[in-house]
């Protein structure tokens, strides 16, 4: 076995146009969600007079920093519906975009280490099946077959008592996903504008009519925010308060190794998740830093704890060297579910609050957000994820299935 | 790792503490009259500033008391820590939730 080489990508991916003075739709943020929204606005709704404005470089935010895990084994009906829709889109996307971004359905194993974990896991498997999501409960001997390098000794501090397994889940090469979406959106006529920070909004009464940027004013029929960690800072400038808190979330990779780790393993209880990238690095993550922050770096004690957990679960990793650590800023909501929908400001739409888990949703976030912007109404898949749920109380509490502490 | 000063025990590592989110969020006074939106505001909506932020921390492995910290959310500099019965210190550069 040798590690897979990365696919070649074409030299020319997108133009770098000057911003025009007006667009039908302006999307703020060229992460995966902003790019997918632009792509589906064009593809599903024929709206091509669109600009995606990015303050840094294309897909340099959380899109470039995440651990690329894709799965749909969420607990509640609303979440299972939208994440499973995303997973189905992922399954067709490499062909549709004609770009091999190494979507690898190697499965995701969520380990249980306590009786409570076991009960929660079995309940989730049953809920998933009722929602048409592939899910299995595995006893420890079955876990061993899926991931032979896991330490299944009963003498560890938190022995593995079983796990949930979603075979269709997996990973994808995140920056290639962004480039694939960007290339196609660009071909259809969308302007992708880097180095363009939105600093304010142009309003006519209660209606947004454009944005202020460091490169001048840009008029817009409709404006969609897809600015992840900065969503509340930005929305506030339009007079909209969002129930999100920004936290640093970090990840790390080891040096390259021969392929040893066949699936994705996550543990909520001892708090680490590990997969092996196509080139061979071990990719690891854990929970968010407890405090609010915009510093794009994480605390060292989080690394220390996740390493301790990883080495106990995978003794074979004990001598692996860490090559690189980095952090992103994620916006977390009180129920650990996203907000996608309208705002109290007319023609201003928001897609945010994906917290630690929005990469997997990229195609469905784009699909539903494009629908909402194009029609002014939510798609049935994102209707439950409206801002209003915090006042009505119809929360979608996914803290358990989010699989990362926050 | 942050170095936070407990008003009772002095400077200790972040790992000794538990984070409690935004400080100075008073329980509403006329609760019977609140609309759903006002309740949502109290329960779910918090400030999320880039810059100085007044927040609560608890010294969980020490004296187990809650106190407030003024911290910059961009530089992570701890600007001040103070007891719950003390007012938020005035800082020339302070923004955030000083209302
Ligand atoms: C360490 C880490 C690990 C993660 N692991 C996973 C995982 O395994 N699986 C998973 O599903 N999710 C994961 N996530 C979460 C996922 O990355 C995010 O939920 C997702 O990327 C958010 O959507 P986005 O792609 O639009 O965000 P981003 O890529 O962050 O895009 C937002 C963009 O908006 C831009 N922006 C912000 N403000 C402005 C402004 N004023 N003007 C112009 N542009 C602006 C930013 O520069 C940024 O490029 C992880 C996140 C992190 C940080
Ligand atoms: Zn103390």
């Amino acid at each position: 076995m040798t590690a897979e080489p990365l696919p070649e990508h074409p030299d020319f991916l997108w133009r770098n146009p000057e911003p025009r003075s007006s667009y039908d739709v302006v999307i703020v943020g060229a992460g995966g969600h902003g790019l997918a929204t632009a792509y589906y606005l064009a593809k599903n709704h024929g709206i091509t007079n669109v600009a995606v404005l990015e303050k840094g470089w294309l897909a340099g935010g959380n899109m470039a920093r995440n651990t690329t895990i894709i799965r749909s084994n969420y607990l509640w009906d609303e979440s299972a519906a939208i994440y499973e829709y995303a997973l189905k889109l992922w399954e067709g996307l490499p062909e549709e975009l004609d770009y091999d971004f190494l979507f690898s359905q190697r499965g995701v194993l969520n380990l249980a280490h306590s009786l409570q974990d076991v009960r929660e896991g079995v309940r989730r498997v049953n809920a998933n099946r009722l929602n048409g999501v592939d899910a299995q409960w595995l006893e420890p001997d079955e876990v061993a077959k899926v991931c032979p390098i896991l330490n299944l000794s009963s003498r560890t501090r938190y022995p593995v008592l079983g796990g949930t397994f979603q075979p269709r889940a997996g990973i994808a090469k995140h920056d290639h996903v962004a480039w694939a979406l960007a290339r196609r959106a660009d071909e259809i006529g969308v302007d992708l504008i880097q180095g363009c920070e939105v600093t304010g909004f142009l309003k006519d009464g209660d209606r947004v009519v454009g944005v202020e940027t460091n490169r001048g004013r840009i008029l817009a029929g409709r404006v969609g925010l897809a600015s992840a960690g900065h969503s509340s800072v930005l929305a506030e400038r339009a007079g909209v308060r969002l129930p999100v808190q920004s936290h640093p979330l970090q990840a790390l990779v080891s040096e390259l190794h021969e392929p040893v780790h066949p699936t994705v393993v996550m543990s909520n209880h001892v708090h680490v998740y590990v997969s092996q990238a196509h080139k061979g690095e071990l990719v690891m993550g854990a929970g968010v830093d407890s405090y609010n922050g915009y510093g794009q770096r994480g605390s060292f004690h989080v690394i220390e704890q996740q390493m301790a957990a990883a080495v106990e679960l995978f003794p074979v990793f004990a001598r692996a060297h860490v090559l690189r650590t980095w952090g992103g800023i994620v916006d977390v909501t009180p129920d650990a579910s996203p907000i996608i929908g309208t705002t109290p400001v007319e023609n201003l739409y928001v897609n945010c609050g994906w917290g630690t888990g929005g990469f997997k949703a990229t195609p469905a976030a784009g699909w539903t957000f494009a629908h909402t912007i194009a029609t002014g109404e939510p798609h049935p898949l994102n209707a439950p994820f409206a801002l209003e749920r915090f006042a009505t109380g119809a929360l979608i509490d996914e803290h358990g299935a989010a699989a990362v502490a926050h | 790792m942050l170095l936070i000063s407990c008003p009772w025990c002095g400077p200790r590592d972040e790992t000794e503490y538990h984070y409690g989110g935004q400080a100075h969020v008073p329980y509403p006074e006329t609760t019977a009259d609140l609309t759903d939106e006002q309740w949502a505001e109290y329960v779910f909506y918090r400030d999320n500033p880039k810059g100085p932020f007044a927040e609560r921390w608890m010294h969980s492995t020490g004296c187990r008391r809650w106190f407030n910290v003024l911290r910059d959310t961009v530089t992570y500099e701890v600007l001040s820590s103070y007891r719950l019965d003390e007012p938020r210190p005035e800082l020339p550069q302070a923004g955030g939730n000083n209302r």
Side-chain angles (χ1 to χ4, degrees):
Chain A
M1 273 203 305
T2 51
E4 283 174 66
L6 297 183
E8 291 287 314
H9 64 81
D11 332 317
F12 175 83
L13 288 169
W14 56 83
R15 301 161 294 135
N16 278 305
E18 283 300 307
R20 295 206 296 269
S21 59
S22 100
Y23 292 91
D24 292 342
V25 177
V26 160
I27 307 287
V28 186
H33 290 204
L35 294 169
T37 304
Y39 169 62
Y40 289 118
L41 272 173
K43 182 180 176 240
N44 294 356
H45 305 279
I47 302 175
T48 56
N49 184 17
V50 174
V52 184
L53 310 182
E54 167 56 51
K55 70 173 176 186
W57 62 95
L58 189 134
N62 293 324
M63 186 63 173
R65 296 161 199 271
N66 73 78
T67 46
T68 81
I69 299 166
I70 295 170
R71 59 191 175 89
S72 65
N73 55 351
Y74 280 70
L75 179 64
W76 300 107
D77 295 353
E78 298 86 346
S79 325
I82 195 163
Y83 288 106
E84 178 59 20
Y85 195 75
L87 184 47
K88 293 210 171 89
L89 288 171
W90 280 115
E91 286 170 333
L93 219 47
E95 198 184 10
E96 179 180 324
L97 299 175
D98 187 23
Y99 201 122
D100 180 10
F101 49 71
L102 298 175
F103 177 44
S104 158
Q105 292 177 288
R106 57 183 66 186
V108 169
L109 194 55
N110 290 83
L111 300 179
H113 302 269
S114 69
L115 186 57
Q116 174 58 28
D117 276 359
V118 171
R119 288 182 180 144
E120 203 280 325
V122 172
R123 176 188 179 200
R124 181 125 56 91
V125 163
N126 289 329
N128 289 162
R129 289 192 171 175
L130 289 171
N131 278 316
V133 174
D134 57 320
Q136 300 163 13
W137 173 256
L138 303 183
E139 294 295 334
D141 59 321
E142 297 164 306
V143 169
K145 284 186 204 129
V146 171
C147 191
I149 56 170
L150 257 173
N151 178 7
L152 294 165
S153 157
S154 58
R155 297 172 58 89
T156 58
R157 185 166 178 199
Y158 298 108
V160 174
L161 303 181
T164 67
F165 188 55
Q166 182 179 20
R168 283 166 60 246
I171 56 172
K173 194 84 184 93
H174 51 321
D175 32 33
H176 290 237
V177 172
W179 300 336
L181 287 164
R183 179 177 65 152
R184 196 42 66 82
D186 173 86
E187 275 169 11
I188 309 175
V190 171
D191 281 359
L192 307 174
I193 299 165
Q194 309 183 64
C196 185
E197 177 167 5
V198 172
T199 53
F201 295 85
L202 304 170
K203 278 167 84 170
D204 177 4
D206 246 1
R207 195 157 56 96
V208 78
V209 294
V211 292
E212 307 256 19
T213 80
N214 60 344
R215 294 171 69 176
R217 294 181 157 196
I218 302 176
L219 299 177
R222 292 176 176 194
V223 177
L225 305 184
S227 42
H230 284 78
S231 47
S232 68
V233 177
L234 205 54
E236 199 175 283
R237 299 205 181 128
V240 175
R241 192 159 146 90
L242 295 173
V244 300
Q245 299 282 291
S246 297
H247 289 265
L249 175 67
Q250 63 184 322
L252 58 91
V253 292
S254 73
E255 61 200 317
L256 306 186
H257 295 282
E258 288 284 302
V260 285
H261 187 18
T263 184
V264 181
V265 171
M266 312 186 71
S267 169
N268 228 351
H269 195 88
V270 299
H271 232 109
V272 66
Y273 51 92
V274 191
S275 66
Q276 189 167 17
H278 295 84
K279 271 194 303 180
E281 310 99 313
L282 300 165
V283 182
M284 283 186 211
V288 298
D289 281 1
S290 65
Y291 52 78
N292 291 26
Y294 291 93
Q296 286 199 337
R297 61 187 160 89
S299 297
F300 188 74
H301 66 267
V302 174
I303 298 182
E304 193 182 0
Q305 281 160 8
Q306 86 189 59
M307 291 295 213
V311 170
E312 180 142 299
L313 283 176
F314 300 97
V316 66
F317 296 166
R319 283 160 182 267
H321 292 115
V322 171
L323 208 62
R324 207 163 66 241
T325 76
W326 65 90
I329 302 302
V330 298
D331 51 345
V332 177
T333 62
D335 62 357
S337 286
I339 301 166
I340 335 168
T342 57
T343 71
V345 174
E346 206 182 323
N347 294 343
L348 180 70
Y349 303 89
V350 67
N351 164 70
C352 70
W354 292 92
T356 58
F359 173 68
K360 63 178 69 66
T362 300
W367 185 287
T368 57
F369 198 40
H371 178 101
T372 308
I373 294 170
T375 65
E377 298 288 332
H379 184 281
L381 284 172
N382 69 312
F385 295 96
L387 191 53
E388 288 79 22
R389 74 178 185 274
F390 297 97
T392 61
L395 302 184
I396 305 165
D397 183 1
E398 288 291 4
H399 279 281
V404 168
H406 38 48
Chain B
M1 183 169 325
L2 305 176
L3 183 64
I4 299 171
S5 198
C6 168
W8 292 277
C9 311
R12 302 291 168 86
D13 282 344
E14 175 193 342
T15 45
E16 290 200 10
Y17 299 96
H18 177 81
Y19 186 61
Q22 184 177 350
H24 309 294
V25 182
Y27 190 73
E29 276 174 20
T30 52
T31 50
D33 304 330
L34 294 194
T35 62
D36 289 351
E37 285 70 25
Q38 286 166 323
W39 270 120
E41 184 75 19
Y42 171 67
V43 177
F44 296 124
Y45 285 70
R46 294 292 179 269
D47 293 343
N48 189 25
K50 251 184 126 160
F53 185 43
E55 58 196 13
R56 300 181 304 168
W57 288 83
M58 198 253 274
H59 192 186
S60 35
T61 67
C63 64
R64 299 197 58 78
R65 284 195 264 194
W66 284 98
F67 60 98
N68 292 336
V69 169
L70 199 55
R71 185 180 59 90
D72 190 304
T73 61
V74 180
T75 62
Y76 298 166
E77 188 187 350
V78 176
L79 303 166
S80 170
S81 56
Y82 54 103
R83 294 195 319 261
L84 298 183
D85 58 358
E86 292 175 322
R88 173 184 161 141
E90 293 292 336
L91 291 179
Q93 80 277 30
N97 59 327
N98 52 352
R99 37 187 196 142

